[in-house]
Amino acid sequence: MKYIFVTGGVVSSLGKGLTAAALGTLLENRGLKVTLQKFDPYLNVDPGTMSPYQHGEVYVLDDGAETDLDLGHYERFASPKLTRRNNTTSGQVYQQVLDNERAGKYLGKTVQVIPHVTDEIQRRITLLADESKADIVITEIGGTVGDIEGLPFLEAIREFALDVGPHNVCFIHVTYVPYIKAAGELKTKPTQQSVAKLREIGIVPHVLVCRCEQPLNKELRQKLSLFCNVPFDAVIEEKDVDHSIYEVPLMLQRERMDDLVCRQLHLDVPPANMTHWQDIIRRLVAPQHRVRIGVVGKYIELQDAYKSVYEALTHGGIANDCGVRIEQIEAEDIEKNGPEKMLKDLGGILVPGGFGERGIEGKILAAKYARENNLPYLGLCLGMQIATIEFARHVLGLVGAHSTEFNLKAPHPVICLLEEQEGVTQMGGTMRLGAQPCQLKLGSRAQHLYGAFVVHERHRHRYEFNNHYREQFEKAGFIISGTSPDGELVEIIEIEQHPFFLASQFHPEFLSKPNAPHPLFRGFIAAAHERMHRKPL
């Protein structure tokens, strides 16, 4: 078993997760089985209770684990199906250590960060390695070198490297080389200090990945090599990409990063064949068609809040050889300005998932505009509930129809709390979570798009379609095209006599990849392009 540890320096949000995922892609295409793991130093047990403003989107796995958004990058770039073993937080580690102490497992010893916390961290690395049967485990350490909460993780991987031997471990440090515009220079000092801090802890990086806005010249690479004690050819330039994050694997391949890692780990494997990846980039850089999609949400100003949605839209574009221009539309702005002004020139509208009442009426107006104007609509989770509320109010004439999430006294609660959610008081990890089977209706648009009769999709919600209104909806042309196998839970809805109006209670964006776009996004972009093809951009 081989292990790669990815650390970060200077500033956060450098793209450690993307770097780890891109490296995973390259190693997989060299014939190796790879799995990826994220260590998050914060004390939350998981990000499930955290605001998107704090942490971006919560990425849900098949087993129901609510995880860091970097796991989305891992699954989009590489092939393994991840589980809760692939994301560990300080909260989980300390909780386990304290549970062990209460159970008397430490035999009366004083419980300390070293060795008890660091041992638990190492145990989680080994457990994933054993269960995954992978050739390589890539572990990303969240945060920045020097953060006090990250120190136990760095100490743990230092100890781990001693145990498994020098040729079974590769340390990669992702750092930032800032460009000082006034001086017209890239500065290496922050990177030197970051590496020095890492070496104080006892970790010497084998590879230095330098995020930068301008290219690194030979002189700068030599300087970084000398002062950071890294071989010259192991100083990797990771310049900001021009078009898409999916360029990163090819960029790292040009820098021979996968060769360096294989050499350090004594792996004799053939070069990566990235021909298929090059075709993906061609479709992103020079697509045959163009389309504009409006995403109507409440966290629009925060790019990471809908990260998987934006990526899945891009994948849908790849499938149709179509460039997707995403228009980020604040739901509250539709409430103020009306839908016509903001939505009329789009090829399609997507309403993503979310929680809370802010912006709900704006989303309902967006769904109404899409339905009445034959504008392709894709709703995800809350977006499906929004479509249901809109139809109830304006087609069925159910005045005051709403979800009990927003109005407990709604006269027509067409969306209501799941029975098993009643009485739940704990917020974290208690929703309907993870992959669930969905039975598709024969001949429906959903069944046509999937090309299957049963699919498995990931959920993250508490509220559901209220079956008391089901017959009334269906008589009015509201098609329930996907349900749970017992027929009790509504999973997908469609509207008859519409070019494309489909919404799901689940989150299809979590299963989309650039080389395997999700069927619903593929169909949505195709319909949006068809509409825009009839109208000049």
Side-chain angles (χ1 to χ4, degrees):
M1 181 68 69
K2 306 291 184 178
Y3 302 90
I4 299 171
F5 295 104
V6 180
T7 56
V10 183
V11 294
S12 59
S13 301
L14 278 179
K16 296 189 302 297
L18 275 174
T19 301
L23 178 59
T25 301
L26 292 172
L27 295 174
E28 278 195 342
N29 282 279
R30 295 184 80 132
L32 296 164
K33 185 178 179 182
V34 175
T35 191
L36 297 101
Q37 181 178 41
K38 176 74 182 286
F39 284 159
D40 276 310
Y42 52 73
L43 284 173
N44 302 68
V45 174
D46 60 45
T49 58
M50 296 168 70
S51 163
Y53 291 111
Q54 290 283 310
H55 197 262
E57 80 170 1
V58 175
Y59 187 81
V60 180
L61 303 178
D62 271 4
D63 66 357
E66 295 173 289
T67 68
D68 181 80
L69 60 82
D70 277 319
L71 274 78
H73 291 316
Y74 301 166
E75 286 201 330
R76 285 188 284 271
F77 279 76
S79 61
K81 284 281 188 182
L82 307 182
T83 72
R84 61 186 69 251
R85 300 283 190 209
N86 297 82
N87 194 191
T88 288
T89 67
S90 287
Q92 293 171 13
V93 170
Y94 286 112
Q95 188 176 63
Q96 184 63 58
V97 168
L98 292 174
D99 286 346
N100 290 347
E101 185 273 333
R102 291 289 84 184
K105 292 184 179 180
Y106 298 128
L107 303 177
K109 293 179 181 177
T110 300
V111 179
Q112 297 176 290
V113 173
I114 303 172
H116 301 102
V117 171
T118 52
D119 282 354
E120 175 61 23
I121 294 168
Q122 292 178 64
R123 186 185 73 85
R124 287 167 179 257
I125 300 170
T126 304
L127 194 60
L128 176 63
D130 292 344
E131 289 186 358
S132 68
K133 301 292 190 292
D135 300 310
I136 298 178
V137 177
I138 302 176
T139 302
E140 174 194 351
I141 312 299
T144 305
V145 170
D147 294 345
I148 189 168
E149 63 265 30
L151 289 175
F153 290 96
L154 296 175
E155 171 61 22
I157 64 175
R158 183 195 70 80
E159 295 173 11
F160 190 86
L162 291 176
D163 290 341
V164 299
H167 296 303
N168 293 320
V169 173
C170 181
F171 288 110
I172 297 174
H173 190 54
V174 182
T175 182
Y176 180 53
V177 182
Y179 177 71
I180 308 301
K181 189 175 181 180
E185 292 180 329
L186 287 165
K187 293 295 184 181
T188 65
K189 190 64 71 177
T191 294
Q192 293 177 43
Q193 293 176 340
S194 175
V195 173
K197 187 70 178 175
L198 196 60
R199 289 165 66 185
E200 283 178 19
I201 297 166
I203 296 172
V204 179
H206 299 105
V207 180
L208 192 63
V209 177
C210 301
R211 282 297 310 275
C212 50
E213 299 172 31
Q214 302 292 327
L216 296 177
N217 58 33
K218 182 178 179 182
E219 181 184 355
L220 280 169
R221 292 188 191 230
Q222 287 174 333
K223 189 174 182 180
L224 286 165
S225 171
L226 177 64
F227 287 101
C228 297
N229 196 34
V230 174
F232 175 80
D233 65 348
V235 178
I236 301 294
E237 175 187 289
E238 193 175 51
K239 190 170 171 285
D240 293 351
V241 293
D242 294 324
H243 299 95
S244 167
I245 59 173
Y246 301 113
E247 297 175 66
V248 176
L250 299 179
M251 177 197 300
L252 296 183
Q253 187 182 43
R254 288 193 297 271
E255 291 284 304
R256 302 180 66 83
M257 183 174 171
D258 52 324
D259 290 340
L260 288 165
V261 169
C262 290
R263 191 167 70 215
Q264 166 62 27
L265 297 176
H266 288 201
L267 291 168
D268 185 13
V269 288
N273 182 353
M274 299 296 286
T275 305
H276 66 295
W277 210 263
Q278 290 166 349
D279 183 57
I280 288 171
I281 300 306
R282 197 280 303 161
R283 288 170 175 252
L284 289 168
V285 174
Q288 297 296 307
H289 314 287
R290 301 277 179 181
V291 69
R292 294 174 64 210
I293 299 296
V295 175
V296 181
K298 65 181 284 191
Y299 303 113
I300 287 300
E301 71 274 23
L302 186 66
Q303 183 71 18
D304 283 347
Y306 304 115
K307 187 67 177 173
S308 292
V309 172
Y310 296 151
E311 294 306 316
L313 285 170
T314 299
H315 305 161
I318 292 170
N320 289 280
D321 205 352
C322 186
V324 179
R325 177 178 166 185
I326 297 172
E327 302 288 346
Q328 298 168 320
I329 300 169
E330 180 64 59
E332 288 179 294
D333 289 342
I334 295 179
E335 295 175 5
K336 296 172 188 173
N337 304 318
E340 173 71 24
K341 180 179 179 181
M342 308 192 72
L343 306 177
K344 65 178 180 178
D345 296 323
L346 298 173
I349 296 172
L350 185 148
V351 177
F355 299 90
E357 190 172 2
R358 183 168 63 86
I360 289 297
E361 294 303 322
K363 295 174 185 178
I364 291 172
L365 286 172
K368 181 175 185 286
Y369 182 87
R371 180 180 57 78
E372 293 180 343
N373 292 276
N374 287 327
L375 182 61
Y377 176 92
L378 180 62
L380 311 176
C381 196
L382 177 61
M384 178 270 212
Q385 297 173 3
I386 289 295
T388 301
I389 295 166
E390 189 282 318
F391 195 91
R393 289 182 183 179
H394 303 118
V395 177
L396 300 183
L398 301 178
V399 178
H402 221 316
S403 166
T404 55
E405 178 181 2
F406 313 120
N407 183 1
L408 283 171
K409 297 181 180 179
H412 295 287
V414 292
I415 302 294
C416 60
L417 196 65
L418 281 161
E419 279 188 31
E420 59 264 33
Q421 291 291 319
E422 294 176 6
V424 170
T425 56
Q426 292 290 316
M427 295 297 292
T430 57
M431 287 184 275
R432 186 183 181 208
L433 291 165
Q436 308 282 346
C438 173
Q439 180 79 44
L440 302 178
K441 183 176 181 179
L442 180 64
S444 65
R445 182 185 296 274
Q447 192 264 317
H448 172 73
L449 290 172
Y450 277 105
F453 296 104
V454 177
V455 295
H456 289 76
E457 294 281 0
R458 297 177 185 178
H459 292 251
R460 184 175 185 254
H461 63 100
R462 297 184 192 277
Y463 293 81
E464 291 276 1
F465 183 95
N466 188 340
N467 282 328
H468 291 300
Y469 293 88
R470 190 161 172 170
E471 184 177 349
Q472 197 172 349
F473 271 85
E474 290 183 305
K475 284 182 179 178
F478 191 87
I479 301 170
I480 294 172
S481 58
T483 65
S484 55
D486 61 6
E488 287 300 308
L489 300 178
V490 174
E491 303 281 30
I492 306 176
I493 64 95
E494 303 173 16
I495 292 180
E496 284 181 336
Q497 308 302 319
H498 193 286
F500 189 102
F501 196 107
L502 186 148
S504 66
Q505 184 59 77
F506 48 78
H507 289 269
E509 68 270 25
F510 292 148
L511 292 181
S512 190
K513 296 173 179 278
N515 53 356
H518 193 282
L520 298 188
F521 283 89
R522 185 178 64 232
F524 175 58
I525 296 300
H529 170 256
E530 173 67 22
R531 176 184 172 86
M532 294 205 77
H533 187 66
R534 296 195 301 268
K535 295 174 62 178
L537 291 175

